[in-house]
Amino acid sequence: MESEEVLKSLGLRIRSLRKERGLTQIELAYRCNMEPSNLNRIEAGRTNPTVRSLTLVANGLGLKLVNLFEGL
């Protein structure tokens, strides 16, 4: 899988997990202590997030980091 495809798939996975929990991007961004625009770019697969950013997102969703990659 190409890196762009991985980023897009990861972003879609994060969006799906967020919606399952009934959270808006703004709510999750607040939980992650990040700008909503940064979370938007991650979900859209338009950025290569750091491990730190992904850890914050996972924690904000109540997951472990590894769970973000399940099914990719």
Side-chain angles (χ1 to χ4, degrees):
M1 191 183 287
E2 294 292 322
S3 62
E4 294 84 17
E5 293 173 0
V6 171
L7 293 174
K8 187 73 168 175
S9 294
L10 179 60
L12 291 173
R13 170 98 171 122
I14 291 169
R15 178 176 287 144
S16 175
L17 291 166
R18 173 179 58 77
K19 288 184 176 186
E20 283 177 13
R21 287 157 177 72
L23 297 170
T24 66
Q25 279 188 343
I26 292 172
E27 290 168 331
L28 180 55
Y30 177 78
R31 287 182 178 196
C32 300
N33 195 31
M34 70 171 55
E35 292 293 324
S37 59
N38 291 342
L39 181 59
N40 180 274
R41 283 192 295 278
I42 292 171
E43 286 190 1
R46 293 190 321 258
T47 189
N48 189 358
T50 63
V51 171
R52 182 180 188 283
S53 293
L54 291 177
T55 301
L56 291 172
V57 170
N59 289 341
L61 291 168
L63 300 170
K64 294 180 180 180
L65 177 60
V66 68
N67 298 123
L68 292 182
F69 298 93
E70 289 175 355
L72 293 186

